[in-house]
Amino acid sequence: MARFCDVALPVPLDANFTYKIEGADPAVGARVMVPFRQQKLSGVVVKVHDDPPPVEAKLVLSVLDSDPVLNEQLIELGRWIASYYIAPLGEVFRTMLPLGAEFRRATGYRITDKGQEALYAGAEVGSSLRAKKDTEHQMLEYSVLNHLAGGEVIREQSLRSATGASREVFRTMTAKKWIAREDLSAVRDASRTVDVAVLKEVNGKINANQQSILLALKAAPDGRLRVDQLRDLVADGKAVPRSTLQTLVKRGIVEIVEEPAGFSVSSLKPRKLEFLFTPAQQEALRFINTGVDSRTFTSALLHGVTGSGKTAVYLSAMQEVLLAGRSAILLVPEIGLTPAVAADLYEIFGDQVAILHSGLSDDERAEQWHQIRRGEKRMVVGTRSAVFAPVADLALIIVDEEHDHSYKQEEVPRYHARDVAVMRAKMTGATVVLGSATPSMESYYNAEKKKYALLSLPGRVQARPLPEVEVVDMRMEFQETGHESVLSRRLVEEVNARLEKGEQAMILLNRRGFANFVLCRACGETIQCRNCAIALTYHKRDRKLMCHYCGFLAPVPRTCPKCHSEHIQFFGMGSEKLEELLHATFPKARIGRLDRDTVRGRDDLENMLSALHNREIDLLVGTQMIAKGHDIHGVTLVGVVGADAALGMPDFRAAERTFQLLTQVAGRAGRGDTPGKVLMQSYHPEHYVVEYASHHDFFGFYEKESRLRSWMHYPPYAALANVVVRSDKLNDALTWSGVLGKWFESAPHEGVRVMGPAAAPIEKLKNDYRYHFILKSKSRERLNAVLREMMAHAGQKKIPRTAVMVDVDALSLM
């Protein structure tokens, strides 16, 4: 047996940690619980050996898995992500494993001898302290000591509930050594179960309420119903008392048993999928199946116009994979697409389908993950983290809407799921298919350079025409009407025409909330987030001001916080305000809204999409969530408000993102038998993005944008990284960015161009001051090497690891 193991821990340090083993060796890829500083952490074993470390090793507390949770291929993939994206390996593994539900973090406190002395002194003069109007902080400390007086360890959550003390109070008392902190973290069973009532033998007298429960059980399959369903039972217009069920249990008429909780893949009805393929679809499917059968790495870009039948190709290819007894992963960019795709998959593959996305509870994600790992489910659909699904014998990875920026993670590790999918397929000899109507510049460039095979679907299924696009010049609208208007006369006219015909329409405004900012007309002050250098957005339904970056909430002020004027006004337009305007403009229409504020859970989204499919909604307004992948045959009109608003963003990808959004949302129209139409409102109708989008001309846009990118040495013609130096203290952020700036200047790095330091476009974000460098290079290897040298220099200069954020292949420079 080995005596030591190296463990990758989820901490912001570029190192593994060695621990001593007692008993059986843990498997490489298994999780262990270990002490780290003053806490317990769960980490992944990356090596077992007999080499003692230079310092005394702490003991592994417990082994959490008898078998590896990460196999050799996934460990190798994790190492590549850590190396390429300059991220700690332990944090990469934490991202790869959605098993947080199985390890519950908890902290407790006990009183020390010094605390007992302080408590005794406080009791001696307690009344005089209070008489002297002792500070609230001191009173909270006394209350905490009082609760801990018995000497036992009490959980922090219980102490906070009982005393009202904050974490700051606990920190202060720990520093005074009045209390001692203890880590109570432990493993828990994340299995989801439900209580089920089972009908046994009926005997004796039965009253009316009891009869209601018995009738419900007799009508249920196998005489079994979930207890929570019985608790909502109503008889003769009155709720059945909860005590009634307990009475039946005591009499032995009903038994309560614990059973595994069920899991609904999707409540949406599956679409009628047509597998009468066009020649182009057949050719694409043939290429994919050949690649899968070869068991060698194959990569392809499937470029098909909106409505060309890409999803049917995906599902057919996955069907072939399942028939061969192998596994496939389908990635979608947004949780909004998952229910519809999952419903289609469940219709074809039944119980072989698993879903993985952030809309599930922690317990649900862990359950789905384990079922995939055990081989019970072979068809996986999910958002970016599903690329790590532990499927057996992986044959195919499909990345739908591969251009979407949602595939890029914004926190450490800042990986791009599309690129990780390509690397995982390469490591496992699988086939990877990237699909989009508007491919990213990088992916189409790779197809041009023959890195990917290019598969084309140039026409819609059943030869349906692409929607007609009309651009409304909002400058002329203002000149002709004499006032600013959000909805042009043409858009109102077209929506009315669709409503009269019983058809459906969508209107896109890619901004949340009611008003974009709140301003004092007397002094010009805008109400800003206290944590970020950004104006707060007004949300009318919640009567709150919100920061869309850090989530900070504030009440709507009655007067200006600066000059105390009452002339507070709301400016700008968000999807919430547009919904209100649409209700006023089309009072008879049934209107729904789809954005991050209306979709706060899985059920909200499914209910909205179900209503849209069932034609219970005439007009849907929303942000980019309505633009992606939805196949609603009743939608014949799409309106775009503020089509060119994002073109003014200080981001070299602004044109690409705008073109993709306009083309994608236009593709929602005319997917049924009735031809569709799109109205794009624009203040710059002559801009090449609007012009090419209005003609569904991806190739024209790609050629124009390629020339601009090549002149400026931006991706795909150069590799790019954004390095952000941040601190909650302005002086530290300035000092550290200066240190790195001098290092870049003193040792010029051949083949790598460095720009900065400069203030980030959003200089303060989530309470951190931010300065950044932009690095470009023709060589990815050289860029990676320089970034690693920079991180080593930062460590030598004692710059905290968390203060230097490296974003390789950055999609945003904000």
Side-chain angles (χ1 to χ4, degrees):
M1 290 191 298
R3 292 185 298 145
F4 301 98
C5 65
D6 292 345
V7 182
L9 293 174
V11 293
L13 296 171
D14 295 304
N16 297 323
F17 301 88
T18 302
Y19 289 87
K20 190 175 181 180
I21 303 169
E22 282 189 359
D25 294 349
V28 172
R31 291 171 300 160
V32 291
M33 186 189 295
V34 296
F36 184 78
R37 294 178 178 166
Q38 303 301 315
Q39 56 186 329
K40 301 172 188 174
L41 291 178
S42 167
V44 175
V45 176
V46 294
K47 184 180 179 183
V48 291
H49 56 88
D50 291 314
D51 303 323
V55 296
E56 185 179 353
K58 295 181 180 179
L59 191 66
V60 170
L61 300 176
S62 62
V63 178
L64 306 185
D65 307 296
S66 56
D67 298 313
V69 291
L70 292 175
N71 60 29
E72 291 181 15
Q73 292 174 343
L74 288 173
I75 289 176
E76 183 186 2
L77 182 66
R79 291 186 187 279
W80 176 82
I81 292 170
S83 173
Y84 184 79
Y85 292 102
I86 320 293
L89 183 60
E91 297 202 317
V92 173
F93 286 157
R94 175 172 57 184
T95 300
M96 295 174 72
L97 290 169
L99 302 178
E102 297 179 351
F103 184 75
R104 176 163 285 167
R105 307 251 350 139
T107 300
Y109 292 94
R110 61 175 175 79
I111 194 168
T112 63
D113 291 340
K114 278 192 173 183
Q116 292 283 10
E117 293 172 7
L119 179 63
Y120 178 76
E124 287 281 295
V125 293
S127 57
S128 62
L129 281 172
R130 285 185 286 275
K132 293 177 182 177
K133 297 182 179 180
D134 199 6
T135 67
E136 181 183 352
H137 188 88
Q138 289 171 314
M139 295 303 295
L140 288 171
E141 290 180 337
Y142 184 82
S143 179
V144 170
L145 292 175
N146 216 23
H147 276 79
L148 294 173
E152 71 276 12
V153 177
I154 299 180
R155 287 177 177 268
E156 180 182 316
Q157 188 174 359
S158 300
L159 278 174
R160 293 179 69 183
S161 299
T163 65
S166 65
R167 287 196 173 96
E168 181 59 35
V169 172
F170 293 122
R171 278 195 292 268
T172 303
M173 296 179 72
T174 303
K176 293 177 181 178
K177 298 186 178 179
W178 286 0
I179 60 175
R181 182 179 182 274
E182 292 194 13
D183 193 328
L184 304 180
S185 301
V187 180
R188 64 178 285 266
D189 183 2
S191 302
R192 298 185 310 115
T193 59
V194 291
D195 289 334
V196 176
V198 182
L199 181 60
K200 309 299 282 185
E201 187 176 342
V202 179
N203 56 73
K205 292 184 178 180
I206 302 295
N207 63 31
N209 284 329
Q210 293 169 351
Q211 184 66 29
S212 299
I213 290 178
L214 296 180
L215 288 173
L217 286 171
K218 288 177 181 177
D222 302 323
R224 310 164 80 87
L225 267 180
R226 283 172 32 183
V227 169
D228 58 352
Q229 293 175 301
L230 286 174
R231 284 175 178 161
D232 296 331
L233 205 60
V234 174
D236 298 327
K238 295 181 180 179
V240 174
R242 294 191 173 188
S243 59
T244 304
L245 179 60
Q246 295 304 317
T247 302
L248 291 172
V249 172
K250 288 178 182 177
R251 292 177 57 184
I253 298 173
V254 174
E255 181 185 8
I256 305 295
V257 296
E258 191 176 72
E259 294 183 353
F263 182 82
S264 171
V265 171
S266 175
S267 64
L268 295 179
K269 292 181 180 179
R271 296 172 293 177
K272 292 181 180 179
L273 297 168
E274 300 170 354
F275 291 101
L276 298 173
F277 287 156
T278 64
Q281 286 175 301
Q282 291 173 357
E283 181 58 34
L285 186 58
R286 189 180 303 114
F287 180 91
I288 295 168
N289 290 339
T290 301
V292 169
D293 293 341
S294 73
R295 289 183 175 264
T296 57
F297 171 59
T298 307
S299 56
L301 173 63
L302 180 60
H303 178 209
V305 298
T306 55
S308 60
K310 293 186 292 295
T311 301
V313 173
Y314 302 156
L315 298 181
S316 293
M318 294 174 75
Q319 203 167 25
E320 292 293 322
V321 166
L322 187 60
L323 287 173
R326 304 180 69 193
S327 302
I329 298 172
L330 171 59
L331 299 183
V332 293
E334 288 269 8
I335 187 177
L337 299 180
T338 310
V341 176
D344 294 341
L345 286 167
Y346 190 74
E347 178 72 6
I348 299 172
F349 306 119
D351 291 335
Q352 288 289 330
V353 177
I355 63 174
L356 289 172
H357 58 67
S358 59
L360 305 180
S361 68
D362 288 344
D363 288 352
E364 286 175 329
R365 292 175 73 195
E367 178 184 74
Q368 291 283 293
W369 191 90
H370 281 300
Q371 288 176 345
I372 296 166
R373 178 169 161 256
R374 292 193 296 264
E376 296 169 12
K377 297 179 183 290
R378 290 182 171 273
M379 300 289 106
V380 179
V381 59
T383 47
R384 62 174 175 260
S385 62
V387 74
F388 305 120
V391 292
D393 195 6
L394 177 62
L396 176 64
I397 306 177
I398 297 168
V399 185
D400 190 26
E401 310 291 2
E402 65 83 26
H403 66 275
D404 198 282
H405 66 271
S406 300
Y407 285 124
K408 186 78 157 80
Q409 175 145 306
E410 295 179 359
E411 302 296 332
V412 175
R414 292 174 173 81
Y415 70 94
H416 197 301
R418 176 197 63 213
D419 299 335
V420 171
V422 173
M423 183 54 64
R424 184 174 184 186
K426 189 174 183 178
M427 289 177 173
T428 55
T431 293
V432 61
V433 178
L434 314 179
S436 177
T438 54
S440 63
M441 297 292 293
E442 290 86 346
S443 292
Y444 203 82
Y445 178 82
N446 285 335
E448 280 194 328
K449 298 299 181 184
K450 308 301 182 184
K451 281 187 69 176
Y452 304 152
L454 181 60
L455 310 176
S456 296
L457 302 179
R460 283 187 160 186
V461 294
Q462 298 182 353
R464 290 178 180 133
L466 286 167
E468 173 196 351
V469 180
E470 179 182 339
V471 179
V472 179
D473 188 340
M474 294 303 287
R475 299 169 302 186
M476 294 300 298
E477 183 79 9
F478 175 74
Q479 291 178 20
E480 292 171 5
T481 63
H483 63 272
E484 284 286 348
S485 111
V486 177
L487 301 175
S488 64
R489 293 164 297 171
R490 281 289 295 134
L491 183 54
V492 172
E493 178 186 328
E494 288 288 348
V495 171
N496 272 321
R498 293 315 189 273
L499 294 176
E500 288 174 6
K501 294 177 184 177
E503 297 169 1
Q504 294 171 292
M506 286 182 172
I507 297 183
L508 169 77
L509 173 58
N510 199 26
R511 284 194 297 269
R512 289 166 55 197
F514 189 84
N516 303 126
F517 62 97
V518 181
L519 181 140
C520 172
R521 292 298 296 268
C523 71
E525 182 78 0
T526 58
I527 312 299
Q528 291 209 329
C529 174
R530 71 180 182 188
N531 304 319
C532 310
I534 202 81
L536 293 173
T537 301
Y538 174 50
H539 289 253
K540 186 175 182 180
R541 185 180 72 173
D542 299 328
R543 291 291 301 169
K544 293 285 186 183
L545 299 177
M546 177 186 290
C547 175
H548 291 166
Y549 287 89
C550 73
F552 171 71
L553 294 172
V556 180
R558 294 186 177 181
T559 59
C560 172
K562 183 178 181 181
C563 72
H564 307 295
S565 164
E566 295 182 356
H567 299 293
I568 297 288
Q569 291 196 9
F570 305 97
F571 290 89
M573 170 76 67
S575 54
E576 185 183 16
K577 188 174 182 179
L578 180 57
E579 180 192 17
E580 186 177 280
L581 176 61
L582 290 171
H583 276 292
T585 309
F586 310 105
K588 294 181 180 179
R590 297 167 298 177
I591 299 174
R593 175 161 58 95
L594 195 62
D595 57 26
R596 293 291 178 197
D597 302 312
T598 59
V599 178
R600 295 181 177 176
R602 182 176 161 204
D603 291 342
D604 295 335
L605 177 65
E606 294 191 3
N607 291 339
M608 180 64 73
L609 293 178
S610 180
L612 197 61
H613 277 282
N614 296 333
R615 298 194 178 225
E616 296 167 8
I617 292 176
D618 303 313
L619 185 54
L620 181 68
V621 59
T623 57
Q624 61 182 350
M625 290 182 73
I626 72 172
K628 301 173 182 178
H630 306 300
D631 187 27
I632 316 294
H633 285 199
V635 174
T636 59
L637 176 71
V638 168
V640 185
V641 176
D644 45 17
L647 292 174
M649 297 290 286
D651 189 341
F652 73 94
R653 296 185 191 271
E656 181 183 8
R657 283 181 173 159
T658 302
F659 175 81
Q660 289 166 343
L661 181 62
L662 294 180
T663 305
Q664 291 288 337
V665 75
R668 299 316 107 204
R671 298 174 77 94
D673 295 329
T674 306
K677 184 167 185 177
V678 181
L679 279 177
M680 293 182 185
Q681 297 184 171
S682 174
Y683 283 94
H684 301 285
E686 70 284 349
H687 195 287
Y688 70 94
V689 166
V690 178
E691 181 181 344
Y692 287 128
S694 66
H695 291 96
H696 309 284
D697 186 0
F698 169 79
F699 302 105
F701 169 77
Y702 176 79
E703 290 176 7
K704 172 81 172 180
E705 187 70 8
S706 290
R707 289 196 298 273
L708 296 175
R709 296 275 186 97
S710 63
W711 293 339
M712 300 300 295
H713 303 288
Y714 277 121
Y717 298 94
L720 178 143
N722 188 30
V723 177
V724 178
V725 181
R726 59 188 182 181
S727 173
D728 58 356
K729 296 181 177 62
L730 176 59
N731 190 54
D732 285 346
L734 286 167
T735 300
W736 294 335
S737 58
V739 168
L740 294 183
K742 287 179 181 177
W743 179 78
F744 280 124
E745 288 178 2
S746 62
H749 301 281
E750 186 179 349
V752 178
R753 183 185 178 192
V754 180
M755 293 174 285
I762 301 178
E763 189 171 348
K764 188 181 181 187
L765 188 65
K766 298 181 181 179
N767 221 30
D768 281 336
Y769 296 94
R770 307 161 72 245
Y771 291 83
H772 73 147
F773 301 84
I774 297 174
L775 281 67
K776 298 179 187 178
S777 178
K778 293 283 186 181
S779 166
R780 291 184 178 278
E781 291 76 14
R782 185 69 191 124
L783 177 64
N784 190 275
V786 169
L787 290 171
R788 293 200 163 278
E789 291 169 17
M790 179 202 70
M791 293 304 296
H793 180 74
Q796 292 170 3
K797 294 297 183 180
K798 308 298 182 187
I799 300 175
R801 178 65 173 82
T802 53
V804 184
M805 183 200 85
V806 179
D807 191 1
V808 178
D809 297 336
L811 293 190
S812 172
L813 304 180
M814 302 298 284

